[in-house]
Amino acid sequence: MDLTDFGPGAQYIAGRQTTGSGEPFQVVNPADGSVVEQVALATTGDVDTAVAAARAALPGWSSATPGARSEALTRLAAVLAGAAEDLARVETAQTGKPVKLATEFDVPGTVDNAAFFAGAARNLEGKAAGEYSGDHTSYVRREAVGVVGSISPWNYPLQMAAWKILPAIAAGNTIVLKPAELTPLTSLMFARACTAAGIPDGVVNVVTGAGHTAGEHLVGHPDVAMVSFTGSTGVGRRVAEIATAGVKRTHLELGGKAPFVVFDDADLDAAVHGAVAASLINGGQDCTAATRAYVQRPLYDAFVAGVAELYAAIRIGDPLNPRTDLGPLVSHAHRDRVAGFVERARSYATVVTGGRAPEKGHDGTDLTRGAYYRPTLITGAAQDSEVVQGEIFGPVLVVLPFDGDDEGLRLANDTPYGLAASAWTANVHRSLRATREIAAGCVWVNDHIPIISEMPHGGYKASGYGKDMSQYSLDEYTQVKHVMFDTTAVARKDWHRTVFGDR
């Protein structure tokens, strides 16, 4: 099966690629404004069709043995690995991310996720049978929740599709995924790969539509038992509002404003290189990207100088060039939003480097048609300023000094978000304190950004709740059922007297 054979079909329902019933929409390459594909968006009717397909497939898939589901996911990992080059190329075309990132991070990470959940599918744990009451044997079953409605973002379309689909179907659920309409193509490829791997029709469905129509209809659909959403905190609140009205289980992975805390005993060179990589990954369009660097005063000036020097050497250009470090942002509208944060910050802070769109790439490419923005370093901002508190979601790092450890940790926690953070120190006691006191779902020590399939990903506070990846995410997609058997064969039980009769 050719996973790249899209045609006008931006919907994948019941094992077939179909055309949406809604308005035409162009998937645009943000590197040059060219049209990658023209698709027709989903209407609420298309969502209804997809949910019906998922509901029809649920009895068969949920009753399949864990071993059978595991074998299907093992085959899926192989199909994805075989299509790695195409997946990376299409991911780069629709997002603008450098092909080296897609090739070395997005695609292998997705394949590894499929392999991990192939194993996790065989491990639906519950308490073993036992006579916990003395007169009964009890055990716990883990069962599928039902039809899952998931909404994934535009920054990691392939990986986010995998993070939504894999734990859901490994646990025996069926799913309807709505990817961002800006970047639906690799989500469609993933669904086609599921069919190629022998996963039954209707288990994995993809509808490409606008959030306010297809997305809200999916979240509120009466046949959807669980909703999983990754995106901004503002939209997440709306998703929760709709889902709560239907008493649905919700899983929300929302915004972030990750602190990068550098203590005065840290390896300065490691911290500088780590900050550049962690702030610029995926053009800074990453909810765990380092956005606020708090540097203890003895290292502050050297840290700022080191980051500025590396930022100036970043190779901006054609994302298909394997030497390119930084491609465009996902769209011109988003580039302008990022630039707006920086322009407003000029009135109260210092833009040390960057702060504008480039005209030429490192390879001489004309970048004026693309949604490019230079790596931008800002200092002198107040803790309560917009550029420190707001989620910019671009290649922008704000650096602030601190004095004592108490201050550094207090500042790190001083935003509404709590998705990820890092602490940089050679002192084990400092690192233990930082990992204990920083309120975030993931705290790295002397590194920032690495993720692995075996470990959970999810936030605190306004960054949402629930976990992606790991055995913890598999548990999110199951319902716990207590089963109890009487072991006495006694007709008139002693506890009955609390309701009627005497002893």
Side-chain angles (χ1 to χ4, degrees), residues 147-420:
V147 176
V148 177
S150 288
I151 299 176
S152 57
W154 48 255
N155 56 336
Y156 291 103
L158 177 62
Q159 288 208 81
M160 294 296 102
W163 286 17
K164 299 301 182 192
I165 292 170
L166 291 169
I169 67 173
N173 303 282
T174 57
I175 189 168
V176 178
L177 174 76
K178 192 204 85 66
E181 61 269 33
L182 289 177
T183 56
L185 302 181
T186 48
S187 298
L188 292 165
M189 293 173 71
F190 191 98
R192 290 169 69 88
C194 289
T195 298
I199 294 173
D201 295 349
V203 171
V204 176
N205 307 274
V206 175
V207 290
T208 300
H212 64 278
T213 52
E216 292 201 1
H217 190 65
L218 176 62
V219 171
H221 199 289
D223 290 335
V224 169
M226 176 179 173
V227 172
S228 179
F229 170 81
T230 296
S232 71
T233 297
V235 177
R237 290 192 182 99
R238 175 61 178 159
V239 168
E241 178 185 349
I242 298 170
T244 300
V247 199
K248 303 177 191 294
R249 181 181 297 193
T250 55
H251 169 206
L252 303 175
E253 198 267 272
L254 307 177
K257 190 70 178 175
F260 187 101
V261 184
V262 183
F263 294 97
D264 58 12
D265 64 337
D267 181 324
L268 178 62
D269 191 48
V272 167
H273 281 79
V276 171
S279 61
L280 299 184
I281 186 171
N282 205 39
Q285 300 166 125
D286 186 311
C287 48
T288 62
T291 59
R292 300 177 289 140
Y294 297 101
V295 184
Q296 204 153 16
R297 210 169 291 276
L299 297 185
Y300 177 81
D301 289 340
F303 179 89
V304 170
V307 171
E309 181 180 358
L310 288 181
Y311 268 14
I314 292 296
R315 296 169 297 190
I316 308 172
D318 178 3
L320 286 175
N321 184 330
R323 297 187 69 248
T324 292
D325 300 321
L326 187 67
L329 300 184
V330 74
S331 68
H332 285 82
H334 184 63
R335 192 269 308 275
D336 293 345
R337 177 185 176 277
V338 170
F341 274 92
V342 177
E343 291 308 306
R344 291 188 295 274
R346 293 184 192 276
S347 66
Y348 57 79
T350 300
V351 178
V352 177
T353 188
R356 62 186 178 86
E359 295 182 354
K360 291 287 185 182
H362 69 95
D363 52 1
T365 306
D366 179 5
L367 304 182
T368 55
R369 291 182 299 162
Y372 291 89
Y373 199 72
R374 289 189 179 279
T376 300
L377 181 63
I378 295 176
T379 61
Q383 175 66 15
D384 62 355
S385 63
E386 178 192 47
V387 79
V388 174
Q389 295 291 326
E391 187 175 26
I392 301 172
F393 225 58
V396 180
L397 177 66
V398 185
V399 186
L400 298 90
F402 70 92
D403 292 305
D405 290 15
D406 290 349
E407 181 189 15
L409 295 175
R410 177 182 61 79
L411 292 171
N413 283 328
D414 184 29
T415 70
Y417 301 105
L419 185 58

